[in-house]
Amino acid sequence: MGCTGAGILPQGPVIGAVAGTAKLTTSIRPPERPFLSVSWSFNEANIITSTSKNVTDAGYADRIFLDRATASLELRDLRLEDSGDYTVSIMPDGGLRQEGKITLNVYALISGASISSPSAVLIEDKSSTNLTCEASGNISTTVWIKDGRPLRPSERVVFSANNKTVFLQPVHNSHHGTFQCRVSNPVSSLTVAHNLIVNFGPHNVSIVGPSPISPGPGVALQCIAASVPPANFSWTFNGNDTHVNSSLYVIEQLEVDNFGNYTCTARNTVTMMENSTFLNLRASCTAPCCSFSMLLVGALTLSLK
């Protein structure tokens, strides 16, 4: 006897999680007269045959439910070994036998995700390191994220074939911060974070302060630098040490003799690097007091000579 049945099961695959439930649902409407028989097989081995009674394979006892009216099958307490091809065979009361096949993929839930990295002091352009993402369960995809954005391969960033490990060769100041690894499969996903410390700098040293400025009330000069760890600062005025060792240089009362070159030097005690910048603090002149101020500055300069 011939058979039909194309389309009685979806194309699939059906996805299930370990310890969960999967439904292999047919598109058949309940017939007016019950099917003469319904049978399901797994990888060509029969698991249940239903005629006037149900005969179930011992390995599926209490784990399957057959909807006799539609021939749909429900599998419970799923196991990884339940992954495979399922075939249904239906003999209607009159008409041709119907058959359909569908694949079930069972995945273990992902758990215990973590990122490991060698313990070492990292210095920009001098050190290299790697980050490895590990987790339990069936991992389909691994995605790396840096500071909330997808991490892309580059001359310094290289991924292993399965994306499990990312190599930073050598580290850059942009690598300082939070790395995330997101591992996922069709039934679960986990994201784990790792804070990577890259010592760098000082870079981009600058002095923030008003110039030109009129003599009078005090003024503060702020030295800033991009540095990990934070930089130490020192100041000189016209080449002379001021004994000020903080990022803030405060002039309580701005006098004519306070005008000149203020140099800030930033030092990093880990990278052993230092960088300097200067600000020429000069007077803002408006006649007639400007003329008097400039004459005074000139007189002071002559007297110093």
Side-chain angles (χ1 to χ4, degrees), residues 45-66:
N46 185 265
I47 58 176
I48 185 171
T49 296
S50 177
T51 52
S52 58
K53 64 178 181 178
N54 291 344
V55 178
T56 305
D57 182 90
Y60 291 88
D62 301 322
R63 287 215 303 133
I64 59 175
F65 169 75
L66 177 66

Side-chain angles (χ1 to χ4, degrees), residues 122-128 156 170-173 198-199 203:
L122 302 177
I123 297 177
E124 181 181 30
D125 294 328
K126 295 182 179 180
S127 308
S128 294
R156 294 176 184 254
V171 292
H172 185 259
N173 67 73
V198 177
N199 299 279
H203 300 321

